[in-house]
Amino acid sequence: MNDKNVPLPVARIAPPIAPGVPSTAGADFLTTQLDALVQWAQKNSLWPMPFGTACCAIEFMSSVSSHYDLARFGAEVVRFSPRQADLMIIAGTITDKQAPILRKIYDQMPEPKWVISMGVCACTGGFYRAYHVVQGVDEIVPVDVYVAGCPPTPENLIHGLIELQKRIQSGELARHREAKTYVPIRVGTDPQVESIPAWSKSVMAPGRAHGHEFPEMADTAEAEAAEATKDAVGGKA
Amino acid sequence: MSATLSASSDVSFAPLIERKFPDGSVHLERRPASDVPTVVSTPAASVEAARFLRDDPAAAYDLLLDLVAVDRLKLDGPPSFRGDERFQLNALLYSTKRNEHLRLRVALPASDPRLPSLIEIWPAADWFEREAWDLMGIRFDGHPNLARLLTHNGFVGHALRKDYEAGQRWLCTDEDVLQTKLAARSDLPEDVFETMTLNFGPSHPSTHGTLRIVLRVDGERIVAAESECGYLHRCFEKMSETHTYTQVIPYTDRLNYCSPMINGNGYARAVEQMLGIEIPARAKAVRVVLSEFSRIMDHMVCIGANLVDLGGLTTFWYSYQAREEIYSLLEACCGARLTSSYARIGGLSMDVPDNFVEWCRKLVKSVTTHIQEVDTLLTKNRIVQKRMSGTGVVTKEQAIAWGFTGPCLRASGVGYDVRKDKPYDGYDEVDFDVPVTTAGDNYSRYLVRMEEMRQSLRIIEQVIARLPGGPVVSDDYRVVLPPKEMVYNEMEGLIFHFKNVFEGIQVPAGEIYSYTEGANGELGYSIVSDGSGRPYRVKVRPPCFPLFAAFEKIIIGGMVSDAVATLGTLNIIAGELDR
Ligand code: SF4
């Protein structure tokens, strides 16, 4: 994977002091930014926790098995315990009955953690516009990468993973998290992805607001607008 | 379209019913010859009728396949539908001794529909009745635990009633799911003094998706168990009612997503039977070939995943290799790896690639090798034998009482296979065997699956050896989209195209139960049509459902680790279980 847009960790090998004279540290040494090094390490050692519920889980199995071998991209150690994982891959339809469990498992994962929503069911409810299906998992957990497809091909999932790695490397996701803004990445083309929030609100039972609130999930634009108003109000006062 | 009504001439025990129920409370209904014979009963006489149907040697309907509840609120008919007869409950029965199907029908009033529970006649009715209560609001008197099954406890109303809005959701909170009645149960054995409650799932690697089992264990021994499903209830049946007949096909793919082709074929066949159309020979042959390949994929995943749970990861990679190869063939045929949506009502969506036959031949060879590899790794492996033989035993009587079909029934000694006993799509023209074992344990189920894969290859070889030519889709343009030249050049073609796309296929009003052999057992579709372009009611009989319902009974007295092995060999597919 070589991508020009991704700043790799700055690493310099100290030149020997003089020909024949060993360098001061007894060996060559590296200088780099600590952040970049940590991000580089995080990106290449993602431990996925597959939250596989349905057909997409079968394609997830294809992605990790010998033919596609997700391990080549640094996400080898599939862990079914959330406490040992930092990447949740939600593969499959999430129903209302499953929703609290998904949230519980997400909460159990240690920081820093990322979420890939695999397949249109997880992204938007897919073609299940129905009484028992969550219309997009971002009703429940913040999602970093949306992978479209029903099911997405393993190639598409791998694409999603690479996109996530880029953002981890560049520090973009970490910065957003700190600033409490939230920018999802979309992989593949699916026009339905645009319409998530409106639909999910319209079908929720009246009088029963959703239990989980995410203040950090404000859209960037909205957050900026909010900042601007605050500034304006502050200015007046 | 055959409209010949017969008073179910093949029901040999008709005179017996008249003699036993002279007041007419139980009688035969006139049904088209293509549908299964139907016996109608009043709610009060239903248990009596059920007992007669099970016990009388001339009837001997010992296996309950499905309970189908229908809300006839919006069905055109006499006004009494809305008052006295709004609901209908159909019990679908099968006789393992006589190889016959039957429907027992009870009509129920709109206000407080209730009838006596059928559990004591057929224990398999337990979960089916809970489902009917959950989704249709029919009460069963005498049911020990008539709780919601597929939806959560925060749900209000009964979702499959015709006056329930398809998109109306209800919030589910922690309290609505994570509760168990097990801790409070008083019927646990007295001598158990130190037990603890152990929760499995719904997110647990060995529950393959979304099942939940709560165990009460004494050391490692299970003394009580309670299983729960519905975590993947995606409302297949409600969604079918809001789509045209053709649009339902992609939904059927996602029922048993390990072998999607079989589901689509079964559904298309049911609608074709309602329409009374025959599909071309080539379409039948291709359906058979791809169904058998799908069966192999399904069994491969079952065995591979089961071995992962038992601690052997290697088999999984071997079995997955076979899947990948079959995926490539499917992709060449229809463009999708997993969710094929290849079947159409009237045939197939497009023809197979030119090199289909050679490709299949090559595939048969390589899959044979993969099966051989798995066989060498496992069949004589001592660890596998020790873990699997003698665990998860289901006797023949139990299997029938619990409504098992498919490999699990055959592993318990009943050789019922729809492909053999009620052949369709030309299965009667090929030579294959149905493997049966009698031990009923995990190892037998494994052996049956291994042998079935080999038999599937045999079927494929014979079918591709004489694959018929010609079209793959019927030329009845009331059902099938006409070819593009016809649409662009002829007025009629355009009209047919328009009607098919906008109104959907017009299926004559009526009802059918149609069944094929799925990878897990008898896959049945009950379809009710009101004559419009959308199905009025679709109920699928998922083969897993009775298997998982019985799971909590099978594992009692065994070890926790055996429960995991048993769950694997039963092969529960959540998409099909919860729909
Ligand atoms: S996106 Fe498609 S393949 Fe994935 S879980 Fe949903 S229905 Fe199944």
Side-chain angles (χ1 to χ4, degrees), chain A residues 53 58-59 61-62 65 93 95-98 100 104 127-133 139 150-151 203 205 208, chain B residues 149 154 159 166-169 172 174 177-178 210 228-229 231-235 239 251 254 317 320 337 339:
Chain A
T53 61
I58 303 285
E59 276 304 67
M61 281 193 220
S62 295
S65 65
T93 321
T95 60
D96 285 335
K97 197 169 178 176
Q98 185 85 309
K104 184 165 266 172
F127 68 174
Y128 294 101
R129 298 292 193 224
Y131 57 85
H132 200 241
V133 178
E139 279 183 8
C150 181
V203 292
R208 299 192 69 167
Chain B
L149 180 71
Q168 177 65 67
R169 290 167 56 203
C172 173
D174 277 0
V177 264
L178 302 172
T210 51
E228 195 186 359
C229 67
Y231 291 100
L232 193 58
H233 178 54
R234 302 189 277 193
C235 330
M239 288 292 95
Y251 286 99
R254 285 141 181 95
W317 307 134
Y320 234 87
R337 283 159 52 86
T339 44

Side-chain angles (χ1 to χ4, degrees), chain B residues 541-567:
Chain B
R541 185 225 178 238
C544 285
F545 192 79
L547 300 181
F548 190 58
F551 178 67
E552 58 187 27
K553 297 172 196 142
I554 302 174
I555 58 173
I556 299 285
M559 300 288 204
V560 177
S561 53
D562 295 343
V564 172
T566 309
L567 189 64

Side-chain angles (χ1 to χ4, degrees), chain A:
Chain A
M1 190 194 67
N2 70 58
D3 199 289
K4 286 170 234 108
N5 302 333
V6 182
L8 285 168
V10 190
R12 271 179 251 109
I13 295 172
I17 294 167
V21 180
S23 62
T24 44
D28 296 342
F29 58 91
L30 289 166
T31 62
T32 178
Q33 287 165 289
L34 184 61
D35 271 0
L37 186 65
V38 169
Q39 283 155 1
W40 172 80
Q42 279 173 342
K43 137 189 163 206
N44 286 311
S45 66
L46 290 170
W47 286 29
M49 142 90 210
F51 197 85
T53 61
C55 359
C56 275
I58 303 285
E59 276 304 67
F60 176 79
M61 281 193 220
S62 295
S63 316
V64 292
S65 65
S66 26
H67 192 81
Y68 287 95
D69 198 6
L70 199 62
R72 293 176 296 158
F73 301 91
E76 176 160 41
V77 203
V78 175
R79 277 289 174 266
F80 287 94
S81 163
R83 303 198 196 274
Q84 298 171 352
D86 57 1
L87 168 64
M88 182 185 244
I89 298 183
I90 303 171
T93 321
I94 303 298
T95 60
D96 285 335
K97 197 169 178 176
Q98 185 85 309
I101 294 143
L102 174 65
R103 178 68 202 190
K104 184 165 266 172
I105 287 179
Y106 176 80
D107 287 340
Q108 285 173 349
M109 284 167 57
E111 289 279 358
K113 54 189 168 190
W114 299 277
V115 177
I116 291 182
S117 147
M118 174 183 181
V120 289
C121 275
C123 297
T124 69
F127 68 174
Y128 294 101
R129 298 292 193 224
Y131 57 85
H132 200 241
V133 178
V134 172
Q135 303 294 311
V137 287
D138 42 14
E139 279 183 8
I140 307 157
V141 295
V143 177
D144 294 305
V145 180
Y146 293 90
V147 181
C150 181
T153 55
E155 291 93 337
N156 212 356
L157 178 65
I158 291 171
H159 182 188
L161 184 81
I162 293 174
E163 287 298 316
L164 179 70
Q165 287 175 327
K166 278 189 205 164
R167 304 308 204 277
I168 294 174
Q169 175 67 76
S170 68
E172 193 181 325
L173 289 178
R175 280 199 296 280
H176 277 300
R177 213 150 278 190
E178 212 145 280
K180 295 213 189 301
T181 55
Y182 171 67
V183 186
I185 308 159
R186 282 159 191 171
V187 173
T189 46
D190 185 5
Q192 288 183 355
V193 172
E194 303 300 328
S195 63
I196 313 161
W199 174 270
S200 62
K201 273 178 207 122
S202 72
V203 292
M204 208 60 197
R208 299 192 69 167
H210 208 284
H212 306 295
E213 297 291 335
F214 307 111
E216 78 272 25
M217 272 178 58
D219 215 55
T220 348
E222 265 176 42
E224 271 163 21
E227 281 297 306
T229 2
K230 224 198 284 166
D231 283 355
V233 173
K236 252 182 231 152

